Each structure stands twice: as structure tokens, then as C-alpha cells.
Amino acid sequence: DTGVSQDPRHKITKRGQNVTFRCDPISEHNRLYWYRQTLGQGPEFLTYFQNEAQLEKSRLLSDRFSAERPKGSFSTLEIQRTEQGDSAMYLCASSSPGSEGGTDTQYFGPGTRLTVL
Amino acid sequence: AQKITQTQPGMFVQEKEAVTLDCTYDTSDQSYGLFWYKQPSSGEMIFLIYQGSYDEQNATEGRYSLNFQKARKSTNLVISASQLGDSAMYFCAMREGLSGTSYGKLTFGQGTILTVHP
């Protein structure tokens, strides 16, 4: 069983460019979460998918951010017109209700580190 | 108000000794879950241990155990027999009860950097 994977692992872009990240969750997990982590801080929640439905979005998710999970499997996170403040680690996690004895534990991918110049 | 508070920015421990990392939380929910994750310098968040709010026993998982004090709203992580590979950032996180507006997202603390000395 493979874990959560994310691509790319690193992305360097210039301010104003668009970037897209991909997350492949653990295959049987129907819940998928995106988090953002800036240096020296804990991760902060961005958005949540249950299957293909985006059910929750944080205030951190500005209009420049959009996320999709079209077939309820992989998910993409796009940032348009990137700003230097978008530089962070973007983490994806997946879980399944009732898994791990009902703990619904979230398992994280390795993250995508974005640097906006 | 902070929902998760980790008051120790950094901790040092000698190899083979035990260390306790502190975490307090704030919630009005009766049903919630508490998690600890390890984040090495590589960046990946590794799940360590879970404690449910209704669990009467303190959780244990190998060298990891929790000192869960519900009335004090604290869940401290105890790592026994520390190893050099335990050097990492440790995060405490809470998942509050599922509701119409909460779908299980985690709220994280600021983290504690643990350094294990040989």
C-alpha cells in the first residue's frame, strides 16, 4: 500500500505566475485535506474534500486559490497570480472514516515546497 | 484564543533518556480527537499516536505514550528511550467534533523542536 504522494516536491516560480500541485491520496481514503505550512509554524487548514465534493474552505483560501478533486481520487490545488506571501509548504492529507479503529487518522504526503521569487 | 498550545519551542534530551513534550488544548466539544505528528527536516508529517476524548486509558504506541488529563485539557507526549532519530519537530493537533461546519480538519500547535544528544 502506497502512502499519500504529492507532485512536484519543489516548485520555484516568479511572482504573478500560476502554479498547480497534485495530490494522490491513499487509494481507499475518501477524505482529502489541503494544508499550508509556513516556516516555523504548524500546518493550517485550507480545504476539505469528501469524495469529489469540496465541503469546507478556510478563509485562507483566497480567490486566487482553487482546488478540485474531479473523480474523487487525486486532487489539484492551483494558485493564480502567485505572490511572495504564497511561499510555503503545501501539504495534502487523506483519511477514511472508520479507519484505524475509528480514529479517522489523517496521513500526510511529503508536501510541495513553493518558493515565489 | 489559541486552540492548541505547545509552550516548549525547543527541548533537549540525552540519548536513551525519556522526554515529555507538553500540549494543552481548548475546545467546547465533548467529542474530539488529539493527535501527535513528527516532522523531520525532510518535511513529511508522520503520524505517531492518537487519543480520543472518550478514551479512558492513556494511549500507547511503542516508545510513545500520552499523559492525557482531560480536566486540565492537556495531552503530553512521552517518548521513552530516546534515539538520535527522534530529533525532529513534534506537533500536537486536535480534531473537533464533526458538525455541519466542521469536517474533521486538524488544528495544529506551533510545534516543539526536539534534539537528542548522543
Side-chain angles (χ1 to χ4, degrees):
Chain A
D1 178 34
T2 58
V4 179
S5 61
Q6 292 186 246
D7 184 70
R9 295 291 305 276
H10 302 273
K11 179 70 177 179
I12 300 173
T13 191
K14 293 182 179 179
R15 188 178 54 184
Q17 297 294 306
N18 299 344
V19 294
T20 300
F21 310 141
R22 177 180 170 125
C23 170
D24 286 89
I26 294 171
S27 58
E28 63 268 27
H29 285 181
N30 64 339
R31 293 182 170 172
L32 188 147
Y33 301 81
W34 284 97
Y35 294 85
R36 181 172 72 183
Q37 184 180 23
T38 52
L39 204 60
Q41 304 293 317
E44 294 176 293
F45 169 76
L46 290 178
T47 190
Y48 163 68
F49 288 87
Q50 184 165 304
N51 299 310
E52 66 276 6
Q54 187 176 21
L55 296 183
E56 190 174 4
K57 293 195 289 186
S58 161
R59 291 173 302 154
L60 292 175
L61 213 67
S62 75
D63 291 345
R64 296 184 297 105
F65 287 70
S66 63
E68 293 182 340
R69 194 183 182 195
K71 297 181 180 179
S73 56
F74 73 91
S75 175
T76 58
L77 177 68
E78 180 183 17
I79 309 174
Q80 295 183 325
R81 305 181 304 283
T82 52
E83 302 172 356
Q84 288 183 326
D86 296 332
S87 295
M89 175 80 92
Y90 290 84
L91 294 162
C92 175
S94 71
S95 73
S96 178
S99 68
E100 304 287 328
T103 66
D104 198 13
T105 296
Q106 292 180 30
Y107 291 91
F108 284 79
T112 295
R113 187 172 296 281
L114 173 66
T115 302
V116 182
L117 302 175
Chain B
Q2 292 277 4
K3 288 202 170 188
I4 297 286
T5 303
Q6 294 181 254
T7 57
Q8 306 154 314
M11 289 286 285
F12 296 89
V13 66
Q14 206 72 26
E15 194 178 9
K16 300 179 184 176
E17 298 291 312
V19 63
T20 299
L21 307 183
D22 296 340
C23 173
T24 58
Y25 59 91
D26 182 27
T27 181
S28 56
D29 285 353
Q30 296 300 309
S31 175
Y32 51 88
L34 298 161
F35 300 79
W36 280 88
Y37 287 86
K38 171 184 177 182
Q39 188 175 42
S41 55
S42 59
E44 186 167 357
M45 299 284 286
I46 301 167
F47 166 70
L48 295 178
I49 192 166
Y50 166 85
Q51 180 85 46
S53 58
Y54 291 119
D55 293 342
E56 295 185 352
Q57 303 274 354
N58 285 333
T60 62
E61 193 70 50
R63 295 188 297 112
Y64 306 109
S65 61
L66 292 181
N67 180 9
F68 178 48
Q69 299 183 50
K70 191 171 181 177
R72 296 182 59 187
K73 294 188 175 178
S74 76
T75 177
N76 300 335
L77 174 69
V78 180
I79 305 175
S80 63
S82 296
Q83 301 172 356
L84 296 178
D86 294 335
S87 293
M89 178 76 93
Y90 289 80
F91 289 100
C92 177
M94 176 173 64
R95 183 190 65 227
E96 294 179 276
L98 298 180
S99 68
T101 57
S102 173
Y103 293 95
K105 63 179 178 285
L106 295 176
T107 302
F108 286 83
Q110 300 273 66
T112 296
I113 300 175
L114 176 66
T115 304
V116 181
H117 289 302

